[in-house]
């Protein structure tokens, strides 16, 4: 899904929330928009037309998205707790406005957290290095079938379907 298609899909309340957040955190919102744009471009290049399913490519995209939002936001704040808090807030909000079934939502939230955790290790690295690192993690992604499995896999990407 393209960045503009995502924006167009929002209802008035969702747009209002984004507008208010923009007023409160304009630089973080700019960083989020930029990171979202690049995440979609990279995911499409690496995994053409399959990164919107519940597969390893989707796990990669969610982790990359969180990592890039944090990386871009860190350009405007040295407070890493604030950066990670913002990244969690905006990506959790996304999961609320575009609801999935429980397992898909848990998968997305898990991979989002994975990306935020990886940010701490990769914050000084280039986007190219980040993509390579996540592609390495991608090979070790674990397929989950039950909600109870998520808690034991916090250091791995997870996916639902092959």
């Amino acid at each position: 899904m393209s960045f503009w298609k995502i924006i167009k899909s929002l209802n008035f309340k969702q747009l209002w929330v984004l507008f208010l957040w923009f007023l409160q955190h304009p630089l973080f919102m700019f960083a989020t928009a930029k990171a979202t744009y690049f995440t979609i471009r990279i995911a499409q290049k690496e995994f053409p037309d399959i990164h919107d399913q519940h597969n390893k490519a989707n796990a990669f995209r969610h982790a990359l998205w969180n990592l890039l939002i944090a990386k871009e936001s860190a350009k405007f704040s040295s407070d890493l707790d604030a950066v990670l808090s913002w990244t969690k807030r905006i990506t959790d909000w996304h999961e609320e406005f575009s609801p999935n079934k429980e397992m898909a939502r848990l998968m997305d939230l898990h991979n989002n957290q994975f990306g935020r955790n990886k940010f701490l290790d990769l914050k000084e690295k280039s986007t190219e290095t980040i993509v390579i690192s996540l592609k390495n993690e991608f090979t070790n992604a674990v397929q989950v079938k039950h909600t109870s499995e998520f808690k034991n896999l916090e250091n791995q990407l997870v996916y639902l379907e092959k």
Side-chain angles (χ1 to χ4, degrees):
M1 181 179 280
S2 75
F3 176 74
W4 291 112
K5 194 171 183 180
I6 292 169
I7 296 298
K8 287 186 206 178
S9 72
L10 301 176
N11 66 33
F12 179 76
K13 182 179 178 188
Q14 294 160 340
L15 285 170
W16 183 251
V17 168
L18 279 181
F19 176 71
L20 292 176
W21 284 353
F22 178 78
L23 292 177
Q24 294 170 342
H25 305 286
L27 297 176
F28 281 178
M29 284 298 290
F30 172 75
T32 300
K34 183 177 177 185
T36 301
Y37 173 77
F38 282 112
T39 298
I40 292 168
R41 284 189 57 195
I42 292 167
Q44 185 62 22
K45 178 181 176 232
E46 297 292 329
F47 308 101
D49 301 321
I50 65 164
H51 60 87
D52 60 347
Q53 300 165 22
H54 302 302
N55 53 21
K56 288 183 182 183
N58 181 272
F60 169 90
R61 184 183 50 139
H62 276 268
L64 179 65
W65 186 41
N66 277 259
L67 226 158
L68 292 183
I69 290 172
K71 183 174 175 58
E72 290 298 322
S73 296
K75 293 177 180 177
F76 302 110
S77 175
S78 60
D79 183 349
L80 294 184
D81 288 335
V83 164
L84 290 171
S85 177
W86 167 260
T87 304
K88 179 177 180 3
R89 183 179 182 192
I90 196 79
T91 57
D92 283 359
W93 171 83
H94 169 76
E95 295 306 324
E96 288 175 27
F97 92 75
S98 64
N100 282 316
K101 292 182 180 175
E102 181 184 18
M103 284 293 287
R105 185 179 65 78
L106 290 173
M107 179 193 79
D108 290 348
L109 291 170
H110 175 94
N111 292 323
N112 289 350
Q113 182 64 51
F114 179 90
R116 291 190 300 272
N117 291 346
K118 281 292 177 187
F119 165 73
L120 297 173
D121 298 330
L122 300 172
K123 64 182 179 282
E124 302 297 327
K125 304 295 183 190
S126 69
T127 300
E128 294 79 19
T129 301
I130 289 168
V131 168
I132 291 167
S133 177
L134 286 180
K135 284 180 81 174
N136 288 335
E137 297 287 347
F138 170 91
T139 61
N140 298 318
V142 176
Q143 185 175 15
V144 293
K145 296 182 180 185
H146 303 286
T147 59
S148 62
E149 295 176 276
F150 287 98
K151 66 182 173 189
N152 298 323
L153 300 169
E154 62 189 29
N155 296 319
Q156 290 179 275
L157 291 172
V158 299
Y159 65 99
L160 303 181
E161 306 167 355
K162 292 192 182 224

